Amino acid sequence: VGNYKRTVKRIDDGHRLCNDLMNCIHERARIEKVYAQQLTEWAKRWKQLVEKGPQYGTVERAWCAFMSEAEKVSELHLEVKGSLMNEDFEKIKNWQKEAFHKQMMGGFKETKEAEDGFRKAQKPWAKKLKEVEAAKKAYHAACKEEKLAISRETNSKADPALNPEQLKKLQDKVERSKQDVLKTKEKYEKSLKELDNATPQYMENMEQVFEQCQQFEEKRLRFFREVLLEVQKHLDLSNVASYKNIYRELEQNIKTADAVEDLRWFRANQGPGMSMNWPQFEEWSADLNRTLSRREKKKASDGVTLTGINQTGDQVSQPNKHSSSLSVQSNTVQSVQSSYNPFEDEEDTGSTVSEKEDSKIKNVSSYEKNQGYPTDWSDEESNNPFSSTDANGDTNPFDEDTSPAMEVRVRALYDYEGQEQDELSFKAGDELTKMENEDEQGWCKGRLDNGQVGLYPANYVEPIQ
């Protein structure tokens, strides 16, 4: 009696399992979205690095094919996320709403119907069972009383102090108890027989209600199986034709990389095969021969127009490979801290791309394709970029006088390790002197307390109040 409550509870569990399945799908959809965003941002960042880096030719295109693959896979995972939420999640939500009907007083209509059905089917049999329990209790009490009366009678016979009248009372007590045993036994057997006769009908009624619950649960189980199969189809990208094409195309792009072709291109554009501009006699011109000051040469935003050089052939078709800018572009000299490991595991914070990584590294290349190469030279030692002192790093490119009025004491906010010979290295908390204000690329000129002069990122320091 009452064990049907396990079956009734299963209905409430079915509603909760719908919520659990929706939460499960929702979490997976969020993972797909985050993964897609991370792929996109990874592809964007590395595509810029490769395009601006020193790699060239067909190998460069093969390398960039990985970024294209990431972008396409990202789109597919966004489609997976959309399918999970717009189709599977909504399907479960709608089915749950149709299958379970909430009542005003709480609970579900289906639960109450099952509860009432079981209680109604069990009530007659439970009543007879209660009568059987009462008859059994009365019979067992009569048997106990009979045994006690017989024991008293037996003991009285051995007691000479009892008179015959008392002995007769004990014998009468024994007789009455035996009659009570017979009556209660008969009543017990009768009620048990009635219970046995009612059992088949009881089982039929209970099983009828149970089958109704089974049918309701069967609908839920079949629905769950159907939904899980649809989720599997949405997650399984191996059967998506476009997914296979992505890696087929990636393989083709990689196989097109040709070392011989790249070497030929480099020879023609950067080696002995490039067009030459041998010195020729040129008439004097005030505009063409204007001497550039060192300060003008350091401006990263001002390129230098070279005169008397005719670019032909592949040189014209590759304007972005090697420009004649005299200075390194802004994102070339972004800080790469010595303590940073690009392969170190990141903490999973749920964000799309770690902010810590963005703040530590902007460019893993030490120079760009369009890094400037000095095109004017002189046999004067101070201006010759190929002199032995420059090659050994013994000269200081910042030897010109600086106005004392520009000098400001600043304190380093972060560690920085210079990537070039003209850059300073310092630790967080170190103090130095700013000699020139920030240029257009975000770099300042400064002097360490040991007298070393060089460049440093402007956002790595703060003025000392």
Side-chain angles (χ1 to χ4, degrees), residues 132 185-195 197:
V132 170
K185 182 179 181 181
E186 182 181 356
K187 187 176 181 180
Y188 179 30
E189 290 175 345
K190 182 181 178 180
S191 61
L192 191 59
K193 185 176 181 180
E194 291 177 354
L195 182 67
N197 293 335

Side-chain angles (χ1 to χ4, degrees), residues 124-238:
W125 191 86
K127 184 178 180 181
K128 292 184 181 299
L129 179 62
K130 193 174 182 181
E131 293 174 357
V132 170
E133 293 293 335
K136 182 179 73 171
K137 186 177 180 180
Y139 169 68
H140 290 176
C143 291
K144 182 179 179 181
E145 190 65 28
E146 178 191 21
K147 183 178 180 181
L148 185 60
I150 293 174
S151 177
R152 287 176 180 173
E153 181 191 14
T154 303
N155 293 333
S156 65
K157 290 179 180 180
D159 188 1
L162 292 177
N163 53 38
E165 184 178 354
Q166 291 175 331
L167 185 60
K168 189 174 185 306
K169 287 182 178 180
L170 292 174
Q171 292 174 350
D172 293 342
K173 180 72 172 175
V174 171
E175 191 66 27
R176 286 196 303 272
S177 63
K178 288 183 178 181
Q179 292 177 1
D180 290 341
V181 168
L182 292 175
K183 289 180 181 179
T184 53
K185 182 179 181 181
E186 182 181 356
K187 187 176 181 180
Y188 179 30
E189 290 175 345
K190 182 181 178 180
S191 61
L192 191 59
K193 185 176 181 180
E194 291 177 354
L195 182 67
D196 291 340
N197 293 335
T199 298
Q201 184 64 39
Y202 160 68
M203 293 179 64
E204 182 180 349
N205 295 340
M206 291 291 286
E207 192 161 336
Q208 183 178 358
V209 181
F210 180 77
E211 282 302 320
Q212 293 176 357
C213 294
Q214 286 286 83
Q215 292 174 6
F216 183 82
E217 179 68 4
E218 183 183 9
K219 291 180 182 178
R220 186 190 69 82
L221 294 175
R222 291 185 181 277
F223 172 74
F224 268 42
R225 181 179 183 274
E226 177 186 347
V227 170
L228 292 175
L229 281 175
E230 292 183 4
V231 172
Q232 179 268 332
K233 291 178 182 178
H234 292 150
L235 294 177
D236 186 7
L237 295 178
S238 63

Side-chain angles (χ1 to χ4, degrees), residues 314-381:
D314 291 340
Q315 281 184 306
V316 179
S317 64
Q318 301 285 343
N320 294 328
K321 290 292 179 179
H322 293 280
S323 71
S324 59
S325 171
L326 287 178
S327 61
V328 181
Q329 300 300 320
S330 61
N331 50 6
T332 306
V333 290
Q334 289 290 342
S335 61
V336 182
Q337 298 188 20
S338 60
S339 61
Y340 173 72
N341 182 357
F343 303 103
E344 187 176 19
D345 292 335
E346 300 175 2
E347 295 180 0
D348 185 11
T349 59
S351 62
T352 58
V353 172
S354 171
E355 296 179 358
K356 177 177 68 176
E357 181 181 345
D358 286 346
S359 65
K360 285 187 175 181
I361 178 168
K362 295 294 183 182
N363 192 342
V364 297
S365 296
S366 59
Y367 60 93
E368 297 180 1
K369 292 178 182 176
N370 58 354
Q371 179 185 10
Y373 296 96
T375 56
D376 55 341
W377 67 279
S378 169
D379 56 0
E380 296 180 6
E381 185 174 349

Side-chain angles (χ1 to χ4, degrees), residues 95-109:
W95 185 90
Q96 183 190 45
K97 188 175 181 180
E98 294 174 358
F100 298 91
H101 301 83
K102 290 187 177 181
Q103 298 185 120
M104 294 284 292
M105 303 301 293
F108 300 103
K109 177 183 177 183

